[in-house]
Amino acid sequence: DQQVKQNSPSLSVQEGRISILNCDYTNSMFDYFLWYKKYPAEGPTFLISISSIKDKNEDGRFTVFLNKSAKHLSLHIVPSQPGDSAVYFCAASAGGGATNKLIFGTGTLLAVQP
Amino acid sequence: GAGVSQSPSNKVTEKGKDVELRCDPISGHTALYWYRQSLGQGLEFLIYFQGNSAPDKSGLPSDRFSAERTGGSVSTLTIQRTQQEDSAVYLCASSRDRTMRSQFFGPGTRLTVL
């Protein structure tokens, strides 16, 4: 049972335009959400996170939106740059337990075309 | 150190052999996680260490997998009698403590079982 879903395996965007990556989750106990970027042969790099008490968090070109009622979050990258081309993973965790293990989606490959 | 380090970066082994994978977390981080990423999949939680507490081993796929963390720092993941389905990238992550929800990943060890 996939608790975190990224239904788009790939996305292609022109440089300078907005990239929107989507993520859906099923577990209502999740209270913290993260986005990671991964280049080939490297570990995931933390990008941005959001707590369930918020619906938006912004950091430079990156903004994460959370819609709790729809169990949906999205990552917006504006403006997109060729260096943003990578696999983006959505992850979630449920606080209150002893382990803050992350549950990951399967990733979306973003290609930013110059 | 500056980041999470893992060794070796690549490991090729024959089916039935034992392997050890090493993780050095960020200095001062008390929480340490192991994940693996199989081909085309998201990251899958394996095990979690927090300080001197008993580890959360709930993600280990079989009793051939074990991990230890000596001195609250370096961790070793051991896979006994490796099978071809163990082939994956094994990733280690750390966070300052369990209240810090964002985890920082190492570059991973790519394990190939022939």
Side-chain angles (χ1 to χ4, degrees), chain A residues 2 31-32 34 36 38 41-46 49 89 93-107, chain B residues 33 35 37 40-45 48 50 56 58-59 89 91 97-108 110:
Chain A
Q2 191 102 32
D31 65 347
Y32 197 78
L34 308 90
Y36 286 84
K38 187 179 184 303
E42 294 185 12
T45 301
F46 170 74
S49 61
F89 288 98
S93 73
T99 304
N100 289 328
K101 65 183 180 185
L102 297 178
I103 308 298
F104 283 85
T106 52
Chain B
Y33 303 78
Y35 295 84
Q37 184 182 15
Q41 302 295 316
L43 281 74
E44 171 193 8
F45 167 77
Y48 161 72
Q50 171 58 56
D56 178 348
S58 60
V89 177
L91 291 149
D97 52 49
R98 70 171 300 276
T99 66
M100 180 185 183
R101 304 294 293 273
S102 301
Q103 299 173 21
F104 298 91
F105 283 82
R110 179 174 295 279

